[in-house]
């Protein structure tokens, strides 16, 4: 194992880090972290200017609670539980708002008073009135905001509910036809009357989205002054960035009785902790880089440290509770992340239940990508909330996993006391003969934990008649050449839609994207499909080394990702001369629908077991491909994909080499009390390996762990990449697992085949790390 010198140096580094975690960061350490950011993260001019002007250093992260699970709304920052009294909740609510102001939004001025209303014009028709006004407010009434209202011209004295949105166009016809007042104000990128507030309120540092949200209070002042408005029924709508803003507005102004939060992405109803680089989606780093004025510059310091952020999406919903919120998301919306929204719904529901209003928090799903919405269904929700309809709201969870329900219905149980306790001092094996026996025990333990796969017939070449189903969807290359349907919807598929857009948001960059071709490959017992990418113009008869790319928790986009300006791994690998097979793992991207019914269909199996089987099926399919060198098949996995890849290589010796990037923390060391998601991420959170949850109270008795998994790959090549301050991993435990597996590699005299790479970085795979991984893969061609 050619890692002794590297590990010695890193042990010193990590001993320092471990000590730091037990005490406050010193000023020197905070300055060193700032220097690291300046050297290793993309430069943001606005952030740099702010930091140089203020001299502010990164927060003392060690002084903040660490948790990769959502922050508890009923626990104060110091760990004190929130009492049952209304007064105690109001204190907690004030604390949550103050934490948002400190770390995310910037500080708000006191609520402004509406000074005067200037009517710009008014048009009456037989059915409605359109009125444009300018509202003056703030210091000496120097601030102003343009507002348009469309009021149904009904019976005298009639009062109507309102839908307020962030553009003057409002909801126009939809609102009018459904008996609502449409109201809109100049509070968006297209018309931003809040820009003037920077100079008018120099003592406050509220950011762009926060200024627009704060300004909405003046608009509500005007609305409640109108005799036609039902003051108890003012709803607000915002989509995408405007949805983030609308959530802040609703948190600030309790007169907003309902919120329609359309595909807000992170910063709205999608938690930062459950997206980001680990989730293949928007992150604090990408958001504060691409849109540096949306939030306070201080927020950028939490890039990769989302676990230290004391508030998140469920905290914002707690500020709005118990008022109504509809969380809308698109099925393959690249920023919405439906799984995360369903998780935040469950977390925020506790607050609504405290107030006796659980029905006021709901979800809504529409087909399509970002930009999909259904205004009439949104109004259906408002009708229900405002007592204009008695129809029950319906939403079928896409990710309905419940560990306790599975345990009850599957009948699976274990007596953990019958399993031996883990002994870290005992080597995995002392000889090859001992290891051969131990290896079979470990494989049996893995099979036991992953569950029993359903039986399948062997492949047959015999013609037996019957209709043969065919996959006719065009592949990504054909889509790029225009041989497809409308890429703005779900046709032809998620990946082709990404490729058709390309660009810096997805890492599908020029010129590399023009130097690749692809075609469809069918694999697995139920004919799943994958895309085989390869260098354009590859001569016929060429045999290419091939990499199977396994993505992480990329719920909307599967094997693609969003807001990554580094070259996508697929293109980087093809550029280096590899063919790449990519597919959505079960439950993600185009296979999202496999999630909900899985355990009803296969209660004794596991989704993780299905993922491992898919890799094995993919290898079988690749070995039949003429352009693939069947002896040179590797696996590269990121986060979840890294864990799957290691298991697949452990159980299938046709895999030549495997790379796991931020792929695991050993089960026995993965504990919630250490600020991680915990071993139960596999069982309770994601529903990947339910049987692991049966050892939740006995983690030291789990039948196998990642040191065993890596050992099973020996003497084939393994590269474990574990970033040194990955927020949801225990790097030292990862290192110890690799060292223990190194003992088995030593038995094979193959120490140089096991490598541990520990970039000083958070949980991501930037270009520098990706390049080193590709160099490692190429070294064995």
């Amino acid at each position: 194992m050619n890692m002794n010198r590297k590990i010695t140096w890193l042990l010193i580094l990590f001993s320092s880090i471990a000590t730091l975690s037990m005490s406050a960061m010193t000023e020197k350490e905070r300055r060193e972290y700032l220097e690291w950011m300046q050297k290793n993260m993309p430069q943001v001019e606005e952030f740099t200017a702010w930091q140089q002007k203020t001299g502010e250093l990164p927060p003392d992260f060690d002084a903040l609670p660490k948790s990769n699970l959502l922050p508890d709304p009923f626990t104060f920052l110091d760990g004190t539980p929130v009492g049952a009294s209304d007064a105690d909740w109001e204190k907690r609510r004030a604390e949550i708002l103050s934490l948002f102001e400190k770390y995310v939004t910037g500080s708000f001025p006191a609520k402004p008073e509406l000074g005067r209303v200037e009517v710009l014009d008014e048009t009456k028709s037989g059915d409605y009135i359109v009125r444009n006004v300018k509202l003056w407010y703030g210091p000496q009434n120097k601030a102003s905001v343009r507002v348009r209202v469309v009021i149904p011209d009904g019976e005298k004295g009639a009062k109507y509910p309102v839908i307020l949105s962030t553009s003057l166009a409002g909801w126009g016809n939809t609102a009018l036809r459904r008996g609502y007042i449409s109201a809109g104000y100049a509070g968006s990128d297209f018309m931003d009357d809040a820009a003037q507030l920077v100079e008018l309120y120099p003592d406050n540092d509220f950011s762009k989205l926060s200024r627009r949200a704060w300004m909405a209070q003046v608009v509500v002042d005007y609305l409640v002054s109108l005799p036609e408005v039902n003051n108890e029924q003012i709803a607000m709508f915002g989509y995408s960035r405007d949805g983030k803003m609308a959530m802040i507005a609703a948190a600030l102004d309790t007169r907003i009785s309902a919120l329609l939060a359309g595909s807000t992405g992170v910063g709205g109803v999608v938690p930062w902790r459950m997206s980001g680089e680990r989730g293949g989606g928007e992150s604090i780093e990408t958001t504060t880089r691409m849109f540096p004025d949306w939030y306070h510059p201080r927020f950028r310091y939490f890039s990769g440290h989302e676990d230290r952020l004391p508030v998140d999406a469920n905290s914002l919903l707690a500020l709005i509770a118990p008022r109504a919120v509809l969380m809308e998301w698109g099925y393959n919306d690249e920023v919405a992340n439906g799984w995360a929204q369903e998780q935040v719904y469950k977390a925020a529901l506790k607050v609504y239940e405290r107030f006796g209003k659980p029905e006021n928090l709901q979800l809504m799903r529409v087909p399509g990508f970002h930009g999909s919405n259904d205004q009439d269904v949104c109004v259906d929700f408002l009708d229900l909330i405002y007592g204009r309809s008695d129809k029950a709201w319906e939403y079928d969870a896409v990710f309905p996993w419940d560990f306790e329900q599975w345990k009850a219905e599957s009948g699976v149980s274990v007596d953990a006391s019958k399993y031996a306790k883990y002994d870290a001092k005992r080597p995995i094996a002392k000889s090859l003969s001992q290891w051969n026996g131990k290896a079979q025990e470990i494989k049996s333990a893995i099979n036991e934990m992953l569950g029993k796969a359903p039986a399948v017939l062997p492949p047959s070449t015999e013609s037996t008649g019957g209709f043969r189903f065919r996959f006719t969807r065009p592949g990504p290359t054909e889509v790029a050449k225009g041989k497809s349907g409308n890429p703005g919807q779900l046709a032809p598929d998620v990946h082709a839609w990404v490729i058709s857009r390309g660009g810096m948001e997805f890492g599908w960059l020029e010129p590399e994207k023009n130097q690749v071709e692809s075609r469809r490959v069918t694999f697995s017992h139920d004919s799943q499909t994958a895309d085989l990418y390869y260098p354009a113009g590859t001569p016929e008869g060429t045999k290419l080394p091939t990499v199977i790319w396994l993505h992480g928790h990329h719920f909307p986009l599967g094997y693609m990702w969003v807001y990554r300006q580094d070259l996508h791994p697929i293109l980087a690998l093809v550029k280096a001369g590899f063919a790449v097979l990519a597919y959505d793992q079960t439950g993600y991207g185009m296979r999202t629908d496999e999630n909900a019914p899985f355990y009803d269909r296969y209660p004794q199996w596991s989704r993780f077991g299905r993922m491992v089987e898919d890799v094995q099926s993919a290898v079988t399919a690749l070995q039949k491909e003429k352009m693939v060198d069947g002896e040179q098949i590797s696996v590269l996995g990121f986060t979840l994909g890294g864990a799957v890849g290691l298991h697949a290589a452990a159980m299938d010796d046709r895999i030549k080499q495997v790379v796991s990037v931020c792929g695991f923390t050993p089960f026995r060391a993965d504990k919630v009390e250490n600020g991680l998601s915990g071993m139960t991420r596999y069982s309770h959170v994601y529903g990947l390996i339910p049987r692991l949850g049966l050892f939740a109270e006995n983690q030291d008795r789990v039948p196998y762990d990642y040191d065993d998994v890596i050992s099973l790959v020996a003497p084939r090549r393994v590269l474990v990449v574990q970033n040194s301050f990955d927020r949801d991993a225990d790097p030292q435990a990862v290192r110890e697992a690799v060292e223990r597996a190194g003992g088995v590699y030593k038995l094979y005299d193959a120490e140089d085949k096991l490598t541990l790479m520990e970039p000083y970085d958070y949980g991501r795979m930037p270009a520098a790390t990706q390049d080193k991984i590709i160099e490692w893969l190429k070294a064995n061609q």
Side-chain angles (χ1 to χ4, degrees):
M1 195 165 45
N2 63 345
M3 43 190 283
N4 292 333
R5 181 168 57 86
K6 179 163 51 179
I7 284 183
T8 301
W9 180 83
L10 285 165
L11 278 172
I12 297 172
L13 170 65
F14 273 83
S15 296
S16 171
I17 291 174
T19 302
L20 293 178
S21 67
M22 298 171 63
S23 60
M25 294 175 68
T26 65
E27 180 178 328
K28 178 175 181 292
E29 290 157 349
R30 292 163 68 192
R31 289 190 182 280
E32 288 174 347
Y33 183 70
L34 174 62
E35 291 173 2
W36 177 86
M37 288 182 64
Q38 293 169 337
K39 292 178 181 178
N40 295 277
M41 289 173 58
Q43 293 301 299
V44 177
E45 183 178 334
E46 293 85 348
F47 171 80
T48 301
W50 167 82
Q51 198 284 322
Q52 291 177 348
K53 178 181 178 181
T54 64
E56 184 171 324
L57 296 176
D60 178 0
F61 292 119
D62 291 341
L64 294 169
K66 173 180 171 60
S67 177
N68 276 283
L69 303 179
L70 293 173
D72 185 355
F74 296 127
T75 302
F76 285 98
L77 185 63
D78 65 2
T80 304
V82 175
S85 68
D86 291 343
D88 223 27
W89 170 249
E90 286 304 317
K91 289 180 183 177
R92 173 57 174 155
R93 188 181 186 281
E95 180 183 64
I96 293 172
L97 183 57
S98 69
L99 290 169
F100 270 106
E101 289 190 74
K102 181 175 182 178
Y103 294 118
V104 184
T105 64
S107 61
F108 295 104
K111 178 188 173 300
E113 296 296 327
L114 175 58
R116 64 187 179 91
V117 178
E118 178 185 353
V119 178
L120 301 178
D121 58 65
E122 183 172 295
T123 303
K124 294 184 179 181
S125 78
D127 299 314
Y128 57 87
I129 299 170
V130 179
R131 183 183 302 140
N132 289 292
V133 301
K134 180 177 286 189
L135 309 180
W136 295 89
Y137 67 97
Q140 294 84 48
N141 283 338
K142 291 183 178 179
S144 65
V145 54
R146 289 163 289 176
V147 177
R148 176 180 297 164
V149 291
V150 180
I151 305 171
D153 192 6
E155 297 179 5
K156 185 176 182 180
K159 289 185 177 293
Y160 301 95
V162 180
I163 301 176
L164 172 64
S165 61
T166 59
S167 71
L168 295 183
W171 271 33
N173 289 331
T174 301
L176 189 63
R177 290 183 171 189
R178 298 289 295 270
Y180 284 72
I181 292 174
S182 171
Y185 73 103
S188 69
D189 285 357
F190 303 100
M191 191 178 288
D192 185 11
D193 285 352
Q196 59 194 303
L197 300 180
V198 176
E199 295 182 2
L200 292 174
Y201 291 93
D203 296 332
N204 298 92
D205 55 2
F206 51 159
S207 57
K208 177 182 283 188
L209 296 184
S210 304
R211 292 192 296 269
R212 295 171 181 171
W214 179 84
M215 186 172 65
Q217 297 175 101
V218 180
V219 181
V220 176
D221 280 347
Y222 170 68
L223 292 175
V224 299
S225 74
L226 298 178
E228 300 91 346
V229 168
N230 184 331
N231 294 348
E232 304 300 318
Q233 297 182 353
I234 298 176
M236 188 169 185
F237 167 77
Y239 194 92
S240 193
R241 68 193 66 182
D242 294 337
K244 307 177 201 286
M245 183 274 285
M247 288 194 69
I248 300 171
L252 293 175
D253 196 331
T254 58
R255 295 172 298 175
I256 298 173
S257 58
L259 174 67
L260 305 173
S263 186
T264 67
V266 289
V269 296
V270 175
W272 299 101
R273 284 167 169 81
M274 294 180 174
S275 185
E277 291 84 357
R278 279 184 150 268
E282 288 181 289
S283 67
I284 292 178
E285 192 286 311
T286 58
T287 300
T288 58
R289 166 167 41 90
M290 299 176 70
F291 312 104
D293 53 0
W294 281 7
Y295 298 106
H296 194 284
R298 184 181 297 119
F299 190 42
R300 184 164 175 78
Y301 281 135
F302 286 87
S303 300
H305 292 277
E306 290 84 355
D307 58 327
R308 299 288 184 171
L309 187 65
V311 289
D312 215 319
N314 65 314
S315 313
L316 196 51
L317 286 168
L319 293 176
I320 301 170
R323 290 167 290 142
V325 177
L326 178 64
M327 301 187 290
E328 179 271 341
W329 61 284
Y331 212 58
N332 292 101
D333 187 326
E334 66 270 28
V335 302
N337 193 327
W339 177 83
Q341 292 195 193
E342 290 190 2
Q343 300 308 306
V344 83
Y345 165 80
K346 295 175 185 177
L349 190 62
K350 299 174 183 177
V351 183
Y352 280 81
E353 290 173 339
R354 175 181 173 125
F355 288 104
K357 291 288 186 179
E359 69 278 5
N360 277 6
L361 183 64
Q362 298 291 351
L363 289 152
M364 167 186 158
R365 182 181 71 252
V366 296
F369 298 96
H370 197 55
S372 304
N373 191 28
D374 190 323
Q375 289 187 338
D376 272 314
V377 177
C378 290
V379 179
D380 290 343
F381 171 76
L382 295 180
D383 281 350
L384 179 62
I385 293 298
Y386 292 150
R388 295 157 62 97
S389 170
D390 58 3
K391 293 182 179 179
W393 186 260
E394 296 182 1
Y395 176 85
D396 294 325
V398 179
F399 307 95
W401 169 248
D402 185 299
F403 172 77
E404 295 298 334
Q405 181 179 342
W406 168 83
K407 188 166 68 170
E409 294 180 354
S410 69
V412 177
S413 63
V414 298
D415 181 355
S417 66
K418 294 183 178 180
Y419 292 79
K421 284 190 175 182
Y422 173 67
D423 184 357
K425 296 180 180 180
R426 181 184 300 171
I428 295 175
K430 295 181 180 180
S431 66
L432 276 177
S433 59
Q434 183 185 20
W435 166 242
N436 289 334
K438 180 69 173 178
Q440 294 307 311
E441 294 177 11
I442 296 171
K443 287 185 177 181
S444 295
I446 292 174
N447 286 327
E448 176 188 358
M449 297 305 293
L450 299 191
K452 183 176 177 58
V456 294
L457 294 171
S460 173
T461 58
E462 180 185 359
S463 177
T464 57
F467 186 81
R468 183 178 181 183
F469 294 95
R470 296 182 178 181
F471 182 77
T472 58
R473 210 168 51 199
T477 298
E478 286 77 11
V479 170
K481 295 177 179 178
K483 301 177 182 178
S484 70
N486 175 15
Q489 296 299 315
L490 289 179
D493 64 21
V494 171
H495 323 107
W497 177 83
V498 169
I499 291 170
S500 71
R501 296 190 66 182
M504 296 293 285
E505 288 188 4
F506 302 94
W508 211 259
L509 309 177
E510 293 179 337
E512 289 83 1
K513 72 175 185 179
N514 301 321
Q515 298 167 356
V516 63
E517 294 181 357
S518 70
R519 57 185 174 83
R520 295 287 186 192
V521 172
T522 301
F523 72 103
S524 81
H525 302 297
D526 53 356
S527 299
Q528 295 294 334
T529 58
D531 296 315
L532 182 63
Y533 295 87
Y534 50 90
T538 298
E540 188 172 348
T542 302
K543 294 283 188 179
L544 295 174
T546 301
V547 177
I548 300 173
W549 160 243
L550 298 177
H551 62 79
H553 293 292
H554 303 181
F555 284 95
L557 296 184
Y559 74 73
M560 293 296 187
W561 54 24
V562 70
Y563 291 135
R564 294 294 171 273
Q565 295 189 0
D566 291 329
L567 190 64
H568 194 285
I570 291 173
L571 296 184
L573 286 163
V574 172
K575 183 178 180 180
F578 292 91
V580 181
L581 188 77
Y583 59 87
D584 292 351
Q585 300 202 73
T586 180
Y588 298 87
M590 294 297 292
R591 297 173 68 182
T592 296
D593 283 341
E594 296 177 20
N595 204 306
F598 185 88
Y599 289 102
D600 292 332
R601 296 169 176 170
Y602 313 113
Q604 303 301 317
W605 201 15
S606 68
R607 287 181 53 227
F608 198 94
R610 171 63 200 253
M611 292 174 181
V612 172
E613 182 185 86
D614 279 349
V615 177
Q616 296 170 325
S617 297
V619 172
T620 299
L622 285 174
Q623 289 186 328
K624 298 175 182 178
E625 291 291 323
K626 293 181 179 179
M627 69 164 49
V628 171
D629 183 345
E631 301 299 317
Q632 293 286 339
I633 296 176
S634 308
V635 173
L636 166 60
F638 178 60
T639 60
L640 168 64
V644 172
L646 286 171
H647 278 77
M651 306 300 278
D652 191 334
D653 59 11
R654 296 175 299 170
I655 296 173
K656 184 75 172 181
Q657 54 190 354
V658 59
V659 182
S660 170
V661 184
C662 299
F664 69 93
T665 286
F667 299 139
R668 301 175 182 113
D670 194 357
K671 298 182 179 180
V672 173
E673 54 264 38
N674 295 336
L676 305 179
S677 292
M679 182 188 74
T680 51
R681 72 177 81 193
Y682 291 93
S683 54
H684 292 60
V685 179
Y686 292 107
L688 293 168
I689 311 177
R691 283 172 171 79
L692 270 180
L694 303 175
F695 291 85
E697 304 300 322
N698 296 276
Q699 286 186 233
D700 59 344
R701 294 183 184 271
V702 173
Y704 80 96
D705 215 324
Y706 279 95
D707 52 351
D708 301 312
V709 175
I710 296 171
S711 297
L712 287 175
V713 187
R716 288 166 290 147
R717 299 179 82 226
V718 174
L719 171 61
V720 175
V721 181
Q722 180 52 65
N723 295 359
S724 57
F725 53 98
D726 180 353
R727 63 182 171 88
D728 208 5
D730 183 336
Q732 179 153 339
V734 172
R735 184 185 315 110
E736 291 170 355
V738 174
E739 288 175 333
R740 279 179 55 79
V744 175
Y745 273 80
K746 188 174 183 179
L747 297 177
Y748 285 101
D749 194 24
E751 294 171 278
D752 61 331
K753 300 293 181 64
L754 177 59
T755 304
L756 174 64
M757 182 189 301
E758 297 180 295
Y760 187 72
D761 207 337
Y762 63 89
R764 59 176 183 161
M765 189 169 65
T769 299
Q770 186 167 274
D771 290 345
K772 292 179 181 178
I773 291 169
I774 293 174
E775 289 176 10
W776 184 90
L777 288 167
K778 291 178 68 175
N780 196 42
Q781 288 186 41

